[in-house]
Amino acid sequence: AISSAGEVTMAAQPAFAAYAATTSSQPNVTGGGQTVTVNVETPLFDQNADFNNSTMTFQAPVTGRYLFAGGITVDGNTDTTYGALTFVTSNRTWTLSFPGYLVNGPNGSFSALVDMDITDTLLMKFYMAGGTQNVDILGGATNPRTFLTGYLVA
């Protein structure tokens, strides 16, 4: 719809934002090389109902280019040396790599403009390696610290 002032809104345009709501959303989940799907189980909004918050999966309703942004906050790291936050799609994996040696970290966010075909999917995953220490993925209802957002651009 186009308002009298010229603003355009499209109620069925795919767009969502979801976050980890609890303070210790995923305790003792990774370290020593395990990869986990990041639980962003609480939708802030899900326009067009394309994000499944029980599987943490976005499914493209149409072929196009989608912009995704994700962020993670972890706690309890004392000995890992490498970490990665990834967007795993049907076509490829997009990765933010960072040193894992930070105590009470690492924390990071990134975005990617992703080509998707109809029914392609996206999951956000997290990985830490180079040590044995498990970490907690942190959330928060008032100030989301771990989140995933996305929308159809073109």
Side-chain angles (χ1 to χ4, degrees):
I2 301 175
S3 74
S4 60
E7 298 100 351
V8 177
T9 60
M10 293 178 277
Q13 183 80 353
F16 75 96
Y19 61 94
T22 58
T23 302
S24 185
S25 180
Q26 289 175 268
N28 296 315
V29 293
T30 186
Q34 296 93 4
T35 299
V36 296
T37 297
V38 179
N39 288 345
V40 283
E41 74 287 346
T42 305
L44 182 60
F45 62 87
D46 186 7
Q47 194 168 289
N48 202 48
D50 301 306
F51 181 73
N52 183 327
N53 67 319
S54 63
T55 63
M56 314 310 148
T57 304
F58 172 81
Q59 185 174 36
V62 296
T63 297
R65 291 173 182 86
Y66 293 79
L67 182 63
F68 295 100
I72 193 165
T73 301
V74 300
D75 188 28
N77 179 35
T78 59
D79 74 348
T80 57
T81 58
Y82 172 82
L85 184 62
T86 61
F87 294 150
V88 179
T89 70
S90 302
N91 295 330
R92 62 193 47 84
T93 298
W94 304 79
T95 303
L96 168 67
S97 300
F98 42 80
Y101 56 80
L102 304 171
V103 174
N104 295 328
N107 307 305
S109 63
F110 80 115
S111 59
L113 185 61
V114 176
D115 62 311
M116 297 186 87
D117 301 315
I118 190 168
T119 72
D120 279 357
T121 59
L122 175 134
L123 282 166
M124 186 167 68
K125 297 198 174 224
F126 180 63
Y127 170 87
M128 289 192 76
T132 58
Q133 179 68 40
N134 286 339
V135 298
D136 301 334
I137 296 176
L138 303 179
T142 305
N143 298 305
R145 298 184 279 180
T146 298
F147 62 89
L148 176 63
T149 65
Y151 68 97
L152 176 63
V153 175

